[in-house]
């Protein structure tokens, strides 16, 4: 079984259909069906795309190759490419129904791209298989890095109707390729944006799946672009996913084809260090640190994903008190592989990120707004006010300083009250919301409608907690007004 793979142009922009190559369909479910379309045998294609069956002579059979990667032995996996615009039906390719004999025993199936010089004129049969081979690259690398746990089932939902418009997923209005938490949706809109041959894009989204299933991500998602000053949770997740795709492919040039006849697009080198915006809030900084650590041979094997996977899957990372960020990664790396710290600290320093602990204590890079530091404000439980400000000066929703974080240590179990009140210059009708976390899990929240204030009471056991505060006006992407609202936050034990 083989399929057409369309590479990118040498200048990294757009697809080069004239350089299309034929690749083996590896790890795919292959079935043998009789004249009633009943499955009489099944197997998995090997790394050369070959398969074989034993079947009685002269029996009418046909071969079906499913767009499905499957493995039963540990670690097991089951990845499928389905059509979200057709009831999530599974893509497959069928051969002809022929009587089994020596002359018909060899049945090669090839999935063509459907391209004919200036456009797609035939079904794009190769696309689902190209998507799966990118995923298989990731699976193999993660297993080689030491993962022995089963991969949870996942559908990758691709359609020629999937376009860059937000709306009904069943109509293909997916907006962009993204991981939803239950599936990966992939663009396929010819002459606009197609992602089936953008292996970095596929593995970027699969990297988010890996975070959720084998690691931890506290990212709130949202739009992000080069040069943005992001919420550190978003910068960590997006920077990791960019670096992850480059590491899996051993190719730092992240490419995404788009435009008329897929001749345009963008490319970025994730190994680049000289960014204008550098810090823990920059996904470009995070990807640079992680990818250059991966390629380094200082006290480690170069281009080995093992150390990185060891960190992100460790209990110290997954169960950390702090929200996920490059600080948490660095601190856990120091704990697990202290011999590599000097090298990693150098990479952090190059990106203006302080060598510190999981909480980023002592960080001096404010991103241009002093209110963003310290990253975690200590909240005492004696009703002492702690002042902080939520602002959209760097953008709304997932940008730096929209959310502010406080950390509190609960020494004795009981019911604790959190109260928020706007103070200082009147910013208008503020709408503070608060969210209470423990080890990244949301325990409780308050999103009341009272102007300038908010409160929350909850029973807490002994431990360390993170409280997030956000002014909903600063979070709202539809709000065009500049917002900087400052609040006093208090905490006290009620009983």
């Amino acid at each position: 079984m083989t399929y057409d793979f369309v590479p990118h142009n040498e200048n990294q922009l757009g697809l080069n259909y004239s350089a299309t190559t034929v690749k083996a369909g590896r790890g795919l479910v292959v079935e043998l069906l009789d004249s009633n379309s009943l499955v009489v045998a099944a197997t998995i294609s090997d790394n050369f795309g070959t398969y074989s069956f034993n079947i009685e002579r002269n029996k009418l059979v046909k071969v079906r190759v499913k767009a499905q990667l499957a493995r039963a032995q540990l670690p097991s996996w089951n990845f499928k490419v389905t059509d979200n615009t057709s009831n999530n039906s599974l893509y497959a390719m069928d051969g002809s129904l022929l009587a089994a004999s020596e002359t018909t025993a060899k049945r090669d199936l090839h999935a063509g791209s459907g391209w004919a010089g200036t456009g797609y004129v035939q079904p794009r049969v190769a696309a689902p298989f190209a998507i799966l081979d990118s995923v298989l690259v990731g699976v193999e690398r993660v297993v080689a890095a030491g993962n022995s746990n089963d991969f949870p089932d996942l559908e990758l939902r691709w359609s020629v109707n999937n376009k860059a418009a937000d709306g009904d997923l069943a109509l293909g209005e997916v907006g962009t390729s993204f991981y939803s938490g239950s599936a990966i949706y992939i663009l396929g809109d010819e002459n606009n944006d197609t992602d089936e041959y953008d292996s970095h894009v596929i593995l970027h989204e699969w990297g988010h799946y890996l975070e959720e299933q084998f690691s931890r991500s506290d990212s709130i998602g949202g739009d992000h672009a080069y040069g943005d000053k992001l919420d550190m949770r978003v910068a960590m997740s997006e920077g990791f996913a960019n670096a992850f795709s480059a590491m899996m492919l051993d190719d730092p040039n992240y490419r995404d084809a788009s435009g008329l006849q897929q001749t345009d697009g963008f490319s970025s080198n994730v190994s680049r260090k000289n960014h204008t915006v550098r810090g823990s809030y920059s996904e470009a900084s995070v990807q640079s640190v992680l990818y250059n650590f991966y390629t380094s041979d200082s006290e480690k094997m170069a281009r080995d994903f093992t150390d990185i996977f060891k960190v992100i899957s460790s209990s110290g990372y997954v169960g950390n008190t702090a929200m996920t960020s490059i600080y948490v990664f660095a601190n856990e790396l120091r704990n697990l592989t202290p011999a590599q710290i000097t090298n990693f600290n150098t990479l952090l320093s190059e990106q203006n990120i302080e060598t510190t602990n999981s909480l980023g204590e002592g960080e001096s890079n404010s991103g241009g707004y002093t209110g963003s530091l310290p990253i975690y404000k200590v909240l005492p439980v004696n009703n002492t006010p702690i002042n902080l400000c939520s602002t959209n000066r760097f953008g709304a929703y997932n940008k730096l300083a929209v959310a502010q974080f406080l950390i509190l240590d609960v020494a004795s179990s009981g019911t604790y009250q959190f109260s928020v009140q706007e103070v200082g210059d009147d910013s208008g009708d503020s709408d503070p919301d608060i969210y209470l976390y423990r080890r990244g899990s949301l325990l409780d929240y308050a999103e009341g409608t009272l102007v300038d204030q908010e409160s929350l009471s909850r029973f807490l056991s002994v431990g360390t907690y993170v409280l997030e505060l956000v002014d909903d006006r600063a979070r709202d992407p539809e709000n065009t007004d500049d917002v900087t609202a400052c609040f006093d936050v208090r905490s006290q034990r009620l009983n």
Side-chain angles (χ1 to χ4, degrees):
M1 186 274 158
T2 55
Y3 70 94
D4 283 344
F5 181 81
V6 185
H8 289 78
N9 287 306
E10 290 186 5
N11 67 358
Q12 315 299 338
L13 299 178
L15 298 180
N16 184 359
Y17 289 95
S18 65
T20 296
T21 60
V22 175
K23 289 191 173 185
R26 307 180 303 134
L28 299 168
V29 174
V30 186
E31 295 177 341
L32 198 63
L33 284 69
D34 65 14
S35 57
N36 295 315
S37 293
L38 298 176
V39 178
V40 296
T43 189
I44 303 294
S45 62
D46 64 17
N47 280 335
F48 301 100
T50 60
Y51 67 91
S52 64
F53 297 109
N54 291 319
I55 192 68
E56 63 185 86
R57 186 183 301 275
N58 296 325
K59 186 176 181 63
L60 285 172
V61 288
K62 68 176 179 180
V63 176
R64 171 173 294 167
V65 181
K66 292 184 172 181
Q68 178 181 7
L69 297 174
R71 179 168 126 153
Q73 64 267 40
L74 298 177
S76 65
W77 56 74
N78 184 18
F79 299 106
K80 301 177 180 179
V81 179
T82 59
D83 184 350
N84 52 286
T85 66
S86 182
N87 297 315
N88 297 327
S89 57
L90 178 68
Y91 287 99
M93 176 174 58
D94 285 5
S96 301
L97 184 68
L98 298 169
S101 67
E102 283 80 359
T103 57
T104 64
K106 184 178 180 181
R107 303 191 185 181
D108 294 338
L109 277 75
H110 177 72
S113 70
W115 185 259
T118 58
Y120 288 112
V121 299
Q122 297 293 330
R124 290 154 64 180
V125 185
F129 300 108
I131 292 168
L132 285 178
D133 204 59
S134 293
V135 171
L136 185 57
V137 169
V139 171
E140 292 172 335
R141 293 295 305 275
V142 171
V143 171
N147 176 61
S148 58
N149 296 314
D150 292 339
F151 292 81
D153 293 357
L154 177 70
E155 285 190 22
L156 298 101
R157 295 174 179 163
W158 172 87
S159 170
V160 298
N161 302 308
N162 283 357
K163 50 189 169 292
D166 294 318
D168 189 341
L169 297 175
L171 297 178
E173 297 166 344
V174 301
T176 185
S177 294
F178 71 99
Y179 173 58
S180 70
S182 59
I184 293 176
Y185 289 84
I186 303 170
L187 289 166
D189 187 16
E190 179 185 3
N191 293 321
N192 185 8
D193 199 342
T194 65
D195 283 344
E196 60 263 31
Y197 298 117
D198 296 337
S199 296
H200 284 86
V201 174
I202 303 301
L203 282 165
H204 173 105
E205 301 306 334
W206 195 77
H208 289 315
Y209 156 87
L210 188 80
E211 282 183 301
E212 181 175 81
Q213 301 299 337
F214 296 103
S215 179
R216 171 181 154 192
S217 172
D218 299 329
S219 174
I220 58 174
D223 294 339
H224 54 97
Y226 179 77
D228 282 347
K229 295 179 181 180
L230 297 168
D231 182 305
M232 64 180 178
R233 300 168 294 181
V234 179
M236 179 62 199
S237 182
E238 298 303 331
F240 167 78
N242 290 340
F244 175 80
S245 67
M247 289 185 279
M248 296 302 97
L249 297 166
D250 263 327
D251 181 355
N253 292 308
Y254 189 105
R255 298 179 290 273
D256 185 356
S258 61
L260 182 65
Q261 297 181 358
Q262 295 67 248
T263 57
D264 202 352
F266 77 88
S267 172
S268 65
N269 189 324
V270 302
S271 69
R272 176 183 166 191
K273 295 182 178 182
N274 59 332
H275 303 289
T276 54
V277 173
R278 289 177 292 166
S280 62
Y281 44 78
S282 165
E283 70 174 281
S285 287
V286 171
Q287 72 193 30
S288 173
V289 169
L290 294 177
Y291 185 79
N292 286 304
F293 174 70
Y294 164 77
T295 58
S296 170
D297 61 359
S298 176
E299 300 295 335
K300 61 183 281 294
M301 183 179 296
R303 301 183 181 278
D304 185 352
F305 185 61
T306 302
D307 293 319
I308 293 175
F309 184 72
K310 182 179 179 181
V311 170
I312 65 171
S313 60
S314 68
S315 59
Y317 187 89
V318 175
N320 204 280
T321 295
M323 310 304 282
T324 51
S325 69
I326 193 63
Y327 301 114
V328 177
F329 181 95
N331 195 66
E332 189 60 16
L333 180 69
R334 294 185 191 102
N335 293 334
L336 296 176
T337 55
Q340 299 171 9
I341 291 310
T342 300
N343 176 36
F344 198 81
N345 287 349
T346 298
L347 294 171
L348 290 173
S349 179
E350 290 172 345
Q351 297 303 316
N352 292 345
I353 301 172
E354 197 74 33
T355 299
T356 175
N357 59 14
S358 293
L359 298 173
E361 290 179 330
E363 178 60 78
S364 59
N365 181 355
S366 68
Y369 175 57
T370 57
S372 65
L373 296 177
I375 293 170
Y376 293 88
K377 286 75 172 172
V378 177
L379 180 63
V381 291
N382 58 7
N383 210 34
T384 300
I386 300 299
N387 187 256
L388 43 74
C389 306
S390 173
T391 179
N392 63 0
R393 65 185 59 208
F394 301 115
Y397 186 63
N398 63 357
K399 304 306 186 290
L400 176 66
V402 172
Q404 293 282 359
F405 302 99
L406 303 105
I407 192 160
L408 65 149
D409 289 314
V410 173
S412 59
S413 300
T415 300
Y416 289 78
Q417 181 185 62
F418 303 94
S419 60
V420 179
Q421 180 69 52
E422 185 177 12
V423 294
D425 295 336
D426 186 7
S427 68
D429 292 342
S430 67
D431 182 10
D433 297 324
I434 51 177
Y435 305 86
L436 183 65
Y437 300 90
R438 189 170 189 187
R439 302 190 186 97
S441 296
L442 180 64
L443 299 181
D444 210 340
Y445 63 93
E447 297 177 336
T449 58
L450 290 177
V451 174
D452 297 340
Q453 60 185 295
E454 191 56 86
S455 64
L456 172 67
S457 295
R458 167 142 184 141
F459 179 85
L460 300 178
S461 57
V462 175
T464 303
Y465 298 82
V466 171
L467 187 71
E468 175 188 7
L469 180 144
V470 178
D471 186 336
D472 192 58
R473 299 171 303 164
R475 176 170 49 194
D476 184 5
E478 302 299 319
N479 179 26
T480 58
D481 296 330
D482 293 335
V483 173
T484 297
C486 299
F487 304 90
D488 275 348
V489 182
R490 302 171 186 262
S491 174
Q492 62 179 328
R493 181 177 175 179
L494 299 179
N495 58 56

